[in-house]
Coordinates of all heavy atoms in Angstrom, one line a residue:
M45 N -92.0 11.1 6.5 CA -92.5 9.9 5.7 C -93.5 10.5 4.7 O -94.3 11.3 5.0 CB -93.1 8.9 6.6 CG -93.8 7.8 5.9 SD -93.3 6.1 5.8 CE -91.7 5.9 6.3
A46 N -93.5 9.9 3.5 CA -94.3 10.3 2.5 C -95.8 9.8 2.7 O -96.1 9.0 3.6 CB -93.9 9.7 1.1
D47 N -96.7 10.5 2.1 CA -98.2 10.1 2.1 C -98.3 8.7 1.7 O -97.6 8.2 0.8 CB -99.0 11.1 1.3 CG -99.0 12.5 1.9 OD1 -98.8 12.7 3.1 OD2 -99.2 13.4 1.1
P48 N -99.4 8.1 2.1 CA -99.7 6.6 1.7 C -99.9 6.6 0.2 O -100.4 7.5 -0.5 CB -100.9 6.3 2.5 CG -101.1 7.3 3.5 CD -100.4 8.5 3.1
M49 N -99.6 5.4 -0.4 CA -99.9 5.2 -1.8 C -101.3 4.8 -1.8 O -101.9 4.2 -1.0 CB -99.1 3.9 -2.3 CG -97.6 4.3 -2.5 SD -96.7 2.8 -3.1 CE -96.1 2.2 -1.5
R50 N -101.9 5.1 -3.0 CA -103.3 4.7 -3.2 C -103.2 3.5 -4.2 O -102.8 3.6 -5.3 CB -104.1 5.8 -3.9 CG -104.3 6.9 -2.9 CD -105.1 8.1 -3.5 NE -106.4 7.6 -4.0 CZ -107.4 8.3 -4.5 NH1 -107.2 9.6 -4.6 NH2 -108.5 7.8 -4.9
I51 N -103.7 2.3 -3.6 CA -103.5 1.1 -4.3 C -105.0 0.5 -4.5 O -105.8 0.4 -3.6 CB -102.7 0.1 -3.6 CG1 -101.3 0.6 -3.3 CG2 -102.6 -1.2 -4.4 CD1 -100.5 -0.2 -2.4
R52 N -105.2 0.1 -5.8 CA -106.5 -0.5 -6.1 C -106.2 -1.8 -6.8 O -105.4 -1.8 -7.8 CB -107.4 0.4 -7.0 CG -107.7 1.7 -6.4 CD -108.8 1.6 -5.3 NE -109.1 2.9 -4.8 CZ -108.6 3.4 -3.7 NH1 -107.7 2.9 -3.1 NH2 -109.0 4.7 -3.3
A53 N -106.8 -2.9 -6.4 CA -106.5 -4.2 -7.1 C -107.9 -4.8 -7.3 O -108.6 -5.1 -6.4 CB -105.6 -5.0 -6.2
Q54 N -108.1 -5.1 -8.7 CA -109.4 -5.6 -9.0 C -109.2 -7.0 -9.8 O -108.5 -7.0 -10.8 CB -110.2 -4.7 -9.8 CG -110.7 -3.4 -9.0 CD -111.5 -2.5 -9.8 OE1 -111.1 -2.1 -11.0 NE2 -112.6 -2.0 -9.3
A55 N -109.9 -8.0 -9.3 CA -109.8 -9.3 -10.0 C -110.7 -9.4 -11.2 O -111.8 -8.9 -11.1 CB -110.1 -10.4 -9.0
A56 N -110.2 -10.0 -12.2 CA -111.1 -10.2 -13.4 C -110.6 -11.5 -14.0 O -109.4 -11.6 -14.6 CB -111.0 -9.1 -14.4
G57 N -111.3 -12.6 -13.9 CA -110.9 -13.9 -14.4 C -109.8 -14.5 -13.6 O -109.9 -14.5 -12.3
D58 N -108.7 -14.9 -14.2 CA -107.6 -15.5 -13.5 C -106.4 -14.5 -13.2 O -105.3 -14.9 -12.8 CB -107.0 -16.6 -14.3 CG -106.2 -16.2 -15.6 OD1 -106.6 -15.1 -16.1 OD2 -105.3 -16.9 -16.0
K59 N -106.7 -13.2 -13.3 CA -105.7 -12.2 -13.0 C -106.3 -11.0 -12.3 O -107.5 -10.8 -12.3 CB -105.0 -11.7 -14.2 CG -105.8 -11.0 -15.2 CD -104.9 -10.6 -16.4 CE -105.8 -9.8 -17.4 NZ -105.0 -9.3 -18.5
A60 N -105.5 -10.1 -11.7 CA -105.9 -8.9 -11.1 C -105.2 -7.7 -11.7 O -103.9 -7.8 -12.0 CB -105.7 -9.0 -9.6
T61 N -105.9 -6.7 -11.9 CA -105.2 -5.5 -12.4 C -105.0 -4.6 -11.1 O -105.8 -4.3 -10.4 CB -106.1 -4.7 -13.4 OG1 -106.3 -5.5 -14.5 CG2 -105.5 -3.4 -13.8
V62 N -103.7 -4.2 -11.0 CA -103.3 -3.3 -9.8 C -102.9 -1.9 -10.3 O -102.2 -1.8 -11.2 CB -102.1 -4.0 -9.1 CG1 -101.6 -3.2 -7.9 CG2 -102.4 -5.4 -8.7
R63 N -103.5 -1.0 -9.6 CA -103.3 0.5 -10.0 C -102.7 1.1 -8.7 O -103.3 1.0 -7.7 CB -104.5 1.2 -10.5 CG -105.0 0.6 -11.8 CD -106.3 1.3 -12.1 NE -106.8 0.8 -13.4 CZ -107.7 -0.2 -13.5 NH1 -108.0 -1.0 -12.5 NH2 -108.0 -0.6 -14.7
V64 N -101.5 1.8 -8.9 CA -100.9 2.4 -7.8 C -100.6 3.9 -8.1 O -100.0 4.2 -9.1 CB -99.5 1.7 -7.4 CG1 -98.9 2.3 -6.1 CG2 -99.7 0.2 -7.3
L65 N -101.0 4.8 -7.1 CA -100.6 6.2 -7.3 C -99.7 6.5 -6.1 O -100.1 6.4 -4.9 CB -101.9 7.0 -7.2 CG -101.6 8.6 -7.4 CD1 -101.0 8.9 -8.7 CD2 -102.9 9.3 -7.3
M66 N -98.5 6.8 -6.4 CA -97.5 7.2 -5.3 C -97.3 8.6 -5.1 O -97.4 9.4 -6.1 CB -96.1 6.5 -5.7 CG -96.2 5.1 -6.0 SD -94.6 4.5 -6.7 CE -95.1 2.9 -7.3
S67 N -97.2 9.0 -3.9 CA -96.9 10.4 -3.5 C -95.5 10.7 -3.4 O -94.9 10.2 -2.3 CB -97.8 10.8 -2.3 OG -97.5 12.1 -1.9
H68 N -94.8 11.3 -4.2 CA -93.4 11.6 -4.2 C -93.0 12.8 -5.1 O -93.6 12.9 -6.2 CB -92.6 10.4 -4.6 CG -91.1 10.4 -4.1 ND1 -90.2 11.2 -4.7 CD2 -90.6 9.8 -3.1 CE1 -89.1 11.0 -4.0 NE2 -89.3 10.2 -3.1
E69 N -92.2 13.7 -4.6 CA -91.8 14.9 -5.3 C -91.0 14.6 -6.6 O -91.1 15.4 -7.6 CB -91.0 15.9 -4.4 CG -91.9 16.5 -3.3 CD -93.0 17.3 -3.9 OE1 -92.8 18.1 -4.9 OE2 -94.1 17.1 -3.4
M70 N -90.2 13.6 -6.6 CA -89.4 13.2 -7.8 C -88.6 14.3 -8.4 O -88.9 14.7 -9.6 CB -90.3 12.5 -8.8 CG -91.1 11.3 -8.4 SD -90.1 10.0 -7.9 CE -89.7 9.3 -9.5
E71 N -87.6 14.9 -7.8 CA -86.8 16.0 -8.3 C -85.7 15.4 -9.1 O -85.1 14.4 -8.7 CB -86.2 16.8 -7.1 CG -87.2 17.8 -6.6 CD -87.6 18.9 -7.5 OE1 -86.9 19.1 -8.5 OE2 -88.7 19.5 -7.2
T72 N -85.4 16.0 -10.3 CA -84.3 15.5 -11.2 C -82.9 15.9 -10.8 O -82.0 15.3 -11.2 CB -84.6 16.1 -12.6 OG1 -84.4 17.5 -12.6 CG2 -86.0 15.6 -13.1
G73 N -82.9 17.0 -10.0 CA -81.5 17.5 -9.7 C -81.0 18.6 -10.7 O -79.9 19.0 -10.6
Q74 N -81.9 18.9 -11.6 CA -81.5 19.8 -12.6 C -82.3 21.2 -12.5 O -81.9 22.2 -13.1 CB -81.8 19.2 -14.0 CG -81.0 18.0 -14.3 CD -81.2 17.4 -15.6 OE1 -82.2 17.8 -16.3 NE2 -80.5 16.4 -16.0
R75 N -83.4 21.2 -11.7 CA -84.1 22.5 -11.5 C -83.4 23.3 -10.5 O -82.7 22.9 -9.7 CB -85.5 22.2 -11.1 CG -86.4 21.6 -12.1 CD -87.9 21.4 -11.7 NE -88.1 21.3 -10.3 CZ -89.0 22.2 -9.6 NH1 -89.5 23.1 -10.2 NH2 -89.1 22.0 -8.3
K76 N -83.7 24.7 -10.6 CA -83.2 25.6 -9.7 C -84.3 26.3 -8.9 O -85.5 26.4 -9.4 CB -82.4 26.7 -10.5 CG -81.2 26.2 -11.2 CD -80.3 27.3 -11.8 CE -79.2 26.7 -12.6 NZ -78.2 25.9 -12.0
D77 N -84.0 26.7 -7.7 CA -85.0 27.4 -6.9 C -85.0 28.8 -7.2 O -84.3 29.3 -8.1 CB -84.8 27.1 -5.4 CG -83.5 27.6 -4.9 OD1 -82.8 28.4 -5.5 OD2 -83.1 27.2 -3.7
A78 N -85.8 29.6 -6.5 CA -86.0 31.1 -6.7 C -84.7 31.8 -6.6 O -84.4 32.8 -7.2 CB -87.0 31.7 -5.9
A79 N -83.7 31.3 -5.7 CA -82.5 31.9 -5.5 C -81.4 31.5 -6.5 O -80.3 32.0 -6.4 CB -81.9 31.6 -4.0
G80 N -81.7 30.6 -7.4 CA -80.8 30.1 -8.4 C -80.0 29.0 -8.0 O -79.1 28.5 -8.7
K81 N -80.3 28.4 -6.8 CA -79.5 27.2 -6.4 C -80.2 25.9 -6.9 O -81.4 25.8 -7.1 CB -79.5 27.1 -4.8 CG -78.7 28.2 -4.2 CD -78.5 27.9 -2.7 CE -77.5 28.9 -2.1 NZ -77.3 28.6 -0.7
T82 N -79.4 25.0 -7.3 CA -79.9 23.7 -7.8 C -80.6 22.9 -6.7 O -80.1 22.8 -5.6 CB -78.7 22.8 -8.4 OG1 -78.0 23.6 -9.3 CG2 -79.2 21.6 -9.0
I83 N -81.8 22.4 -7.0 CA -82.5 21.6 -6.2 C -82.0 20.2 -6.2 O -81.9 19.6 -7.3 CB -84.1 21.6 -6.4 CG1 -84.6 23.0 -6.4 CG2 -84.8 20.7 -5.5 CD1 -86.0 23.2 -6.9
P84 N -81.5 19.6 -5.1 CA -80.9 18.3 -5.2 C -81.8 17.2 -5.7 O -83.1 17.3 -5.5 CB -80.6 18.0 -3.7 CG -80.8 19.2 -2.9 CD -81.6 20.1 -3.7
A85 N -81.3 16.2 -6.3 CA -82.0 15.1 -6.9 C -82.7 14.3 -5.8 O -82.0 14.1 -4.7 CB -81.2 14.2 -7.7
W86 N -83.9 13.9 -6.0 CA -84.7 13.1 -4.9 C -85.7 12.3 -5.8 O -86.8 12.9 -6.2 CB -85.3 14.1 -3.9 CG -86.1 13.4 -2.8 CD1 -85.7 12.3 -2.2 CD2 -87.2 13.9 -2.2 NE1 -86.7 11.9 -1.3 CE2 -87.6 13.0 -1.2 CE3 -88.1 15.0 -2.4 CZ2 -88.7 13.1 -0.4 CZ3 -89.2 15.2 -1.6 CH2 -89.5 14.2 -0.6
F87 N -85.5 11.1 -5.9 CA -86.4 10.3 -6.8 C -86.5 8.8 -6.3 O -85.6 8.3 -5.6 CB -85.9 10.3 -8.2 CG -84.5 9.8 -8.4 CD1 -84.2 8.5 -8.7 CD2 -83.5 10.7 -8.2 CE1 -82.9 8.1 -8.9 CE2 -82.2 10.3 -8.5 CZ -81.9 9.0 -8.7
I88 N -87.5 8.2 -6.7 CA -87.7 6.7 -6.3 C -86.8 5.9 -7.2 O -86.7 6.1 -8.5 CB -89.2 6.3 -6.6 CG1 -90.1 7.0 -5.6 CG2 -89.3 4.8 -6.5 CD1 -91.6 6.8 -5.8
Q89 N -86.0 5.1 -6.6 CA -85.0 4.2 -7.3 C -85.6 2.8 -7.5 O -85.3 2.2 -8.6 CB -83.7 4.2 -6.6 CG -82.9 5.3 -6.6 CD -81.6 5.2 -5.9 OE1 -81.5 4.6 -4.8 NE2 -80.5 5.6 -6.6
N90 N -86.2 2.2 -6.6 CA -86.7 0.8 -6.7 C -88.2 0.8 -6.3 O -88.6 1.3 -5.3 CB -85.8 -0.1 -5.7 CG -84.4 0.0 -6.1 OD1 -84.0 -0.4 -7.2 ND2 -83.5 0.4 -5.2
V91 N -88.9 -0.1 -7.0 CA -90.2 -0.4 -6.7 C -90.4 -1.9 -6.7 O -89.9 -2.6 -7.6 CB -91.2 0.2 -7.7 CG1 -92.7 -0.2 -7.4 CG2 -91.0 1.7 -7.8
E92 N -91.1 -2.5 -5.7 CA -91.3 -3.9 -5.7 C -92.7 -4.2 -5.3 O -93.3 -3.6 -4.4 CB -90.4 -4.6 -4.6 CG -90.5 -6.1 -4.5 CD -89.6 -6.7 -3.5 OE1 -89.4 -6.0 -2.4 OE2 -89.1 -7.8 -3.7
A93 N -93.4 -5.2 -6.0 CA -94.7 -5.5 -5.7 C -94.8 -7.0 -5.3 O -94.1 -7.8 -5.9 CB -95.7 -5.2 -6.9
K94 N -95.5 -7.3 -4.2 CA -95.7 -8.7 -3.8 C -97.2 -9.1 -3.7 O -98.0 -8.3 -3.4 CB -95.1 -8.8 -2.4 CG -93.5 -8.6 -2.3 CD -93.0 -8.9 -1.0 CE -91.5 -8.8 -1.0 NZ -90.9 -9.2 0.2
H95 N -97.4 -10.3 -4.1 CA -98.7 -11.0 -4.1 C -98.6 -12.0 -3.0 O -97.9 -13.1 -3.2 CB -99.1 -11.5 -5.4 CG -100.2 -12.4 -5.5 ND1 -100.3 -13.6 -6.1 CD2 -101.5 -12.2 -5.1 CE1 -101.5 -14.1 -5.9 NE2 -102.3 -13.3 -5.3
N96 N -99.3 -11.8 -1.9 CA -99.3 -12.8 -0.8 C -97.9 -13.1 -0.4 O -97.5 -14.2 -0.1 CB -100.1 -14.1 -1.1 CG -101.6 -13.8 -1.2 OD1 -102.1 -12.9 -0.6 ND2 -102.2 -14.7 -2.0
G97 N -97.0 -12.1 -0.3 CA -95.6 -12.3 0.1 C -94.7 -12.7 -0.9 O -93.4 -12.7 -0.7
K98 N -95.0 -13.0 -2.1 CA -94.2 -13.5 -3.2 C -94.0 -12.2 -4.2 O -94.9 -11.7 -4.7 CB -94.8 -14.7 -3.9 CG -94.0 -15.1 -5.1 CD -94.6 -16.3 -5.8 CE -93.8 -16.7 -7.0 NZ -94.5 -17.6 -7.9
T99 N -92.7 -12.0 -4.5 CA -92.4 -10.9 -5.4 C -93.0 -11.2 -6.8 O -92.6 -12.3 -7.4 CB -91.0 -10.6 -5.5 OG1 -90.5 -10.2 -4.1 CG2 -90.6 -9.5 -6.4
V100 N -93.8 -10.2 -7.4 CA -94.2 -10.4 -8.7 C -93.8 -9.4 -9.7 O -94.0 -9.6 -10.9 CB -95.8 -10.5 -8.7 CG1 -96.3 -11.7 -8.0 CG2 -96.4 -9.3 -8.0
M101 N -93.2 -8.3 -9.2 CA -92.8 -7.2 -10.0 C -91.8 -6.4 -9.4 O -91.8 -6.1 -8.2 CB -94.0 -6.3 -10.3 CG -93.7 -5.3 -11.5 SD -93.0 -3.7 -11.1 CE -94.0 -3.1 -9.7
T102 N -90.7 -6.1 -10.1 CA -89.6 -5.2 -9.6 C -89.4 -4.2 -10.7 O -89.4 -4.5 -11.9 CB -88.3 -5.9 -9.1 OG1 -87.8 -6.5 -10.3 CG2 -88.5 -6.9 -8.0
A103 N -89.0 -3.0 -10.3 CA -88.6 -1.9 -11.2 C -87.5 -1.1 -10.7 O -87.4 -0.8 -9.5 CB -89.8 -1.1 -11.6
E104 N -86.6 -0.6 -11.6 CA -85.6 0.4 -11.2 C -85.9 1.7 -11.9 O -86.0 1.6 -13.2 CB -84.2 -0.1 -11.6 CG -83.8 -1.3 -10.8 CD -82.4 -1.8 -11.2 OE1 -81.8 -1.2 -12.0 OE2 -82.0 -2.8 -10.6
W105 N -86.1 2.8 -11.2 CA -86.5 4.0 -11.8 C -85.4 5.0 -11.7 O -84.5 4.9 -10.8 CB -87.8 4.6 -11.1 CG -89.0 3.9 -11.4 CD1 -89.2 2.8 -12.3 CD2 -90.4 4.1 -10.9 NE1 -90.5 2.4 -12.4 CE2 -91.2 3.2 -11.5 CE3 -90.8 5.0 -10.0 CZ2 -92.6 3.2 -11.2 CZ3 -92.2 5.0 -9.6 CH2 -93.0 4.0 -10.3
G106 N -85.5 6.1 -12.4 CA -84.5 7.2 -12.4 C -85.2 8.5 -12.4 O -86.4 8.7 -12.0
T107 N -84.5 9.6 -12.7 CA -85.0 10.9 -12.7 C -86.1 11.2 -13.7 O -86.7 12.3 -13.6 CB -83.8 11.9 -12.8 OG1 -83.2 11.7 -14.0 CG2 -82.9 11.8 -11.7
A108 N -86.2 10.4 -14.7 CA -87.2 10.7 -15.8 C -88.6 10.4 -15.4 O -89.5 10.8 -16.2 CB -86.8 9.9 -17.0
V109 N -88.9 9.8 -14.3 CA -90.2 9.5 -13.8 C -90.9 10.7 -13.2 O -90.3 11.4 -12.4 CB -90.3 8.3 -12.8 CG1 -91.6 8.0 -12.4 CG2 -89.6 7.1 -13.5
S110 N -92.1 11.0 -13.6 CA -92.8 12.2 -13.1 C -93.1 12.3 -11.6 O -93.2 11.2 -10.9 CB -94.1 12.3 -13.9 OG -95.0 11.3 -13.5
K111 N -93.5 13.4 -11.2 CA -93.9 13.6 -9.8 C -95.2 12.9 -9.5 O -96.1 12.7 -10.5 CB -94.2 15.1 -9.6 CG -94.7 15.5 -8.2 CD -94.9 17.0 -8.1 CE -95.5 17.4 -6.8 NZ -95.6 18.9 -6.7
N112 N -95.4 12.3 -8.4 CA -96.5 11.5 -8.0 C -96.8 10.4 -9.0 O -97.9 10.4 -9.7 CB -97.7 12.3 -7.8 CG -97.5 13.3 -6.7 OD1 -96.8 13.0 -5.7 ND2 -98.1 14.5 -6.8
P113 N -95.8 9.5 -9.3 CA -96.0 8.5 -10.4 C -97.2 7.5 -10.2 O -97.6 7.2 -9.1 CB -94.7 7.7 -10.3 CG -94.1 8.0 -9.0 CD -94.6 9.3 -8.5
F114 N -97.7 7.2 -11.3 CA -98.8 6.2 -11.4 C -98.2 5.0 -12.1 O -97.5 5.0 -13.1 CB -99.9 6.7 -12.3 CG -101.0 5.7 -12.6 CD1 -101.9 5.5 -11.6 CD2 -101.0 5.1 -13.8 CE1 -103.0 4.5 -11.9 CE2 -102.0 4.1 -14.1 CZ -103.0 3.9 -13.1
L115 N -98.5 3.7 -11.5 CA -98.1 2.5 -12.0 C -99.2 1.5 -12.1 O -100.1 1.5 -11.2 CB -97.0 1.9 -11.0 CG -96.5 0.5 -11.3 CD1 -95.6 0.4 -12.5 CD2 -95.6 0.1 -10.0
Q116 N -99.3 0.8 -13.2 CA -100.4 -0.3 -13.4 C -99.7 -1.5 -13.9 O -98.8 -1.5 -14.8 CB -101.4 0.2 -14.4 CG -102.5 -0.7 -14.6 CD -103.6 -0.2 -15.5 OE1 -104.1 0.9 -15.4 NE2 -104.0 -1.1 -16.5
F117 N -100.1 -2.6 -13.3 CA -99.6 -4.0 -13.8 C -100.7 -5.0 -13.4 O -101.6 -4.8 -12.7 CB -98.3 -4.3 -13.1 CG -98.3 -4.3 -11.6 CD1 -98.5 -5.5 -10.9 CD2 -98.2 -3.1 -10.8 CE1 -98.5 -5.5 -9.5 CE2 -98.1 -3.1 -9.5 CZ -98.4 -4.4 -8.8
S118 N -100.5 -6.2 -14.1 CA -101.4 -7.3 -13.8 C -100.7 -8.4 -13.1 O -99.5 -8.6 -13.2 CB -101.9 -7.9 -15.2 OG -102.7 -6.9 -15.8
V119 N -101.4 -9.1 -12.2 CA -100.9 -10.2 -11.5 C -101.8 -11.5 -11.8 O -102.9 -11.6 -11.5 CB -101.0 -10.0 -9.9 CG1 -100.5 -11.2 -9.2 CG2 -100.2 -8.7 -9.6
K120 N -101.1 -12.4 -12.5 CA -101.7 -13.7 -12.9 C -101.9 -14.5 -11.7 O -101.1 -14.7 -10.8 CB -100.9 -14.3 -13.9 CG -101.7 -15.4 -14.6 CD -100.8 -16.0 -15.8 CE -101.6 -17.0 -16.6 NZ -100.9 -17.5 -17.7
G121 N -103.1 -15.1 -11.5 CA -103.4 -16.0 -10.4 C -103.9 -15.3 -9.2 O -104.2 -16.0 -8.2
A122 N -104.1 -14.0 -9.2 CA -104.6 -13.3 -8.0 C -106.2 -13.4 -8.1 O -106.7 -13.5 -9.1 CB -104.2 -11.9 -8.0
K123 N -106.7 -13.5 -6.8 CA -108.2 -13.6 -6.7 C -108.6 -12.7 -5.6 O -107.8 -12.3 -4.7 CB -108.6 -15.1 -6.5 CG -107.9 -15.7 -5.3 CD -108.2 -17.2 -5.3 CE -107.6 -18.0 -4.1 NZ -106.2 -17.8 -4.0
A124 N -109.9 -12.5 -5.4 CA -110.5 -11.6 -4.4 C -110.0 -12.2 -3.0 O -110.0 -13.3 -2.7 CB -111.9 -11.6 -4.5
G125 N -109.6 -11.2 -2.2 CA -109.2 -11.5 -0.9 C -107.6 -11.6 -0.7 O -107.1 -11.6 0.4
D126 N -106.9 -11.8 -1.8 CA -105.4 -11.8 -1.8 C -104.9 -10.4 -1.4 O -105.6 -9.4 -1.6 CB -104.9 -12.3 -3.2 CG -105.1 -13.7 -3.4 OD1 -105.6 -14.5 -2.6 OD2 -104.7 -14.2 -4.6
K127 N -103.7 -10.5 -0.9 CA -103.0 -9.2 -0.5 C -101.9 -8.8 -1.6 O -101.1 -9.7 -2.0 CB -102.3 -9.4 0.9 CG -103.2 -9.7 1.9 CD -104.1 -8.5 2.3 CE -104.9 -8.9 3.5 NZ -105.9 -7.9 3.9
I128 N -101.9 -7.5 -1.9 CA -100.9 -7.0 -2.8 C -100.2 -5.9 -2.0 O -100.8 -4.9 -1.5 CB -101.6 -6.4 -4.1 CG1 -102.4 -7.3 -4.9 CG2 -100.5 -5.7 -4.9 CD1 -101.5 -8.4 -5.6
A129 N -98.9 -6.0 -1.9 CA -98.1 -5.0 -1.2 C -97.1 -4.4 -2.1 O -96.5 -5.0 -3.0 CB -97.3 -5.7 0.0
V130 N -97.0 -3.0 -2.1 CA -96.1 -2.3 -3.0 C -95.1 -1.5 -2.0 O -95.6 -0.8 -1.1 CB -96.8 -1.3 -3.9 CG1 -95.9 -0.5 -4.8 CG2 -97.9 -2.1 -4.8
T131 N -93.8 -1.6 -2.4 CA -92.8 -0.9 -1.6 C -92.0 -0.1 -2.6 O -91.5 -0.6 -3.6 CB -91.9 -1.9 -0.9 OG1 -92.7 -2.8 -0.1 CG2 -90.8 -1.3 -0.1
W132 N -91.6 1.1 -2.2 CA -90.7 1.9 -3.0 C -89.4 2.4 -2.1 O -89.7 2.5 -0.8 CB -91.2 3.1 -3.7 CG -92.0 4.1 -2.9 CD1 -93.3 4.3 -2.9 CD2 -91.5 5.2 -2.1 NE1 -93.6 5.4 -2.2 CE2 -92.4 6.0 -1.7 CE3 -90.2 5.5 -1.8 CZ2 -92.3 7.1 -0.9 CZ3 -89.9 6.7 -0.9 CH2 -91.1 7.4 -0.5
K133 N -88.3 2.6 -2.6 CA -87.2 3.2 -1.9 C -86.6 4.2 -2.8 O -86.4 4.0 -4.0 CB -86.2 2.1 -1.7 CG -85.0 2.6 -0.8 CD -84.0 1.5 -0.6 CE -82.8 2.1 0.3 NZ -81.8 1.0 0.6
D134 N -86.3 5.5 -2.1 CA -85.8 6.5 -2.9 C -84.3 6.6 -2.7 O -83.6 6.0 -1.9 CB -86.5 7.8 -2.7 CG -86.4 8.4 -1.4 OD1 -85.4 8.1 -0.6 OD2 -87.2 9.3 -1.0
N135 N -83.7 7.7 -3.4 CA -82.2 7.8 -3.4 C -81.7 8.4 -2.1 O -80.5 8.5 -1.8 CB -81.7 8.6 -4.6 CG -82.2 10.0 -4.6 OD1 -83.3 10.3 -4.3 ND2 -81.3 11.0 -4.9
K136 N -82.6 8.9 -1.2 CA -82.2 9.4 0.1 C -82.4 8.3 1.2 O -82.2 8.5 2.4 CB -83.0 10.6 0.5 CG -82.7 11.9 -0.4 CD -83.5 13.0 0.1 CE -83.2 14.2 -0.7 NZ -83.9 15.5 -0.3
G137 N -82.8 7.1 0.8 CA -82.9 6.0 1.7 C -84.3 5.8 2.3 O -84.5 4.9 3.1
E138 N -85.2 6.8 2.0 CA -86.6 6.6 2.5 C -87.3 5.5 1.8 O -87.1 5.2 0.6 CB -87.4 7.9 2.3 CG -86.9 9.1 3.1 CD -87.8 10.3 2.9 OE1 -89.1 10.2 2.9 OE2 -87.3 11.4 2.7
T139 N -88.2 4.8 2.6 CA -89.0 3.7 2.0 C -90.4 3.9 2.4 O -90.7 4.5 3.4 CB -88.5 2.3 2.4 OG1 -88.6 2.2 3.8 CG2 -87.0 2.1 2.0
R140 N -91.3 3.3 1.6 CA -92.7 3.3 1.9 C -93.3 2.0 1.5 O -93.0 1.5 0.3 CB -93.4 4.5 1.2 CG -94.9 4.6 1.4 CD -95.3 5.2 2.6 NE -96.6 4.9 3.0 CZ -97.2 5.6 4.0 NH1 -96.7 6.5 4.7 NH2 -98.5 5.2 4.3
T141 N -94.1 1.3 2.3 CA -94.8 0.1 1.9 C -96.3 0.3 2.3 O -96.6 0.7 3.3 CB -94.2 -1.1 2.6 OG1 -92.9 -1.2 2.4 CG2 -95.0 -2.3 2.3
D142 N -97.1 0.0 1.3 CA -98.6 0.0 1.6 C -99.2 -1.3 0.9 O -98.6 -1.9 0.1 CB -99.2 1.2 0.9 CG -98.9 2.5 1.7 OD1 -99.3 2.6 2.8 OD2 -98.2 3.3 1.1
E143 N -100.3 -1.7 1.5 CA -100.9 -3.0 1.1 C -102.4 -2.7 0.7 O -103.1 -1.9 1.3 CB -100.8 -3.9 2.2 CG -101.2 -5.3 1.9 CD -100.9 -6.2 3.1 OE1 -101.9 -6.4 3.9 OE2 -99.9 -6.9 3.2
A144 N -102.9 -3.6 -0.2 CA -104.3 -3.5 -0.5 C -104.8 -5.0 -0.7 O -104.0 -5.9 -1.0 CB -104.5 -2.8 -1.9
T145 N -106.1 -5.1 -0.5 CA -106.7 -6.4 -0.8 C -107.4 -6.4 -2.1 O -108.0 -5.5 -2.5 CB -107.7 -6.7 0.4 OG1 -107.1 -6.6 1.6 CG2 -108.4 -8.1 0.2
V146 N -107.2 -7.5 -2.8 CA -107.8 -7.6 -4.2 C -109.3 -7.8 -4.0 O -109.8 -8.6 -3.2 CB -107.3 -8.9 -4.9 CG1 -108.0 -9.1 -6.3 CG2 -105.8 -8.8 -5.1
S147 N -110.1 -7.0 -4.8 CA -111.6 -7.1 -4.7 C -112.2 -7.6 -5.9 O -111.5 -7.8 -6.9 CB -112.1 -5.7 -4.5 OG -111.8 -4.8 -5.5

């Protein structure tokens, strides 16, 4: 299982800014190792964010996203104490879900 995501959610007015740092190698499938063999593709395909259990953001990613991707988005109507959960799924079927509380 991958390392936990670092999620920060800060309320300001009627919205919250959410910042997520994901730990993932994100291989394109085009690089070669020292022996000259192609390193298989391994990347995050789907990302979903939920605010108190309701989906507020979805994304479909591909091989062009960098290693350890950073994602930032705003959630309208979020306030201090609310829960923000972020889930990703990669092309090998691995998933990771982490949660943060809006401050």
Side-chain angles (χ1 to χ4, degrees):
M45 170 112 347
D47 292 335
M49 289 180 264
R50 294 180 57 176
I51 304 172
R52 302 288 182 263
Q54 294 180 311
D58 69 334
K59 66 180 182 176
T61 300
V62 180
R63 294 175 179 90
V64 184
L65 183 60
M66 303 174 195
S67 178
H68 198 284
E69 290 298 313
M70 301 295 283
E71 283 294 342
T72 64
Q74 297 177 355
R75 290 187 332 124
K76 297 187 185 301
D77 62 15
K81 291 187 174 188
T82 303
I83 299 170
W86 183 36
F87 56 92
I88 295 173
Q89 288 183 311
N90 300 300
V91 180
E92 180 180 38
K94 293 185 177 188
H95 169 232
N96 291 333
K98 180 182 174 194
T99 301
V100 293
M101 192 272 311
T102 59
E104 293 180 7
W105 288 356
T107 58
V109 177
S110 68
K111 177 179 177 176
N112 300 325
F114 173 79
L115 174 67
Q116 179 175 316
F117 58 95
S118 295
V119 178
K120 195 172 184 178
K123 57 189 178 304
D126 288 356
K127 300 289 185 187
I128 302 289
V130 179
T131 302
W132 60 253
K133 182 176 181 181
D134 68 19
N135 66 317
K136 292 185 178 181
E138 289 185 48
T139 62
R140 176 84 198 189
T141 301
D142 289 298
E143 188 176 89
T145 303
V146 177
S147 61

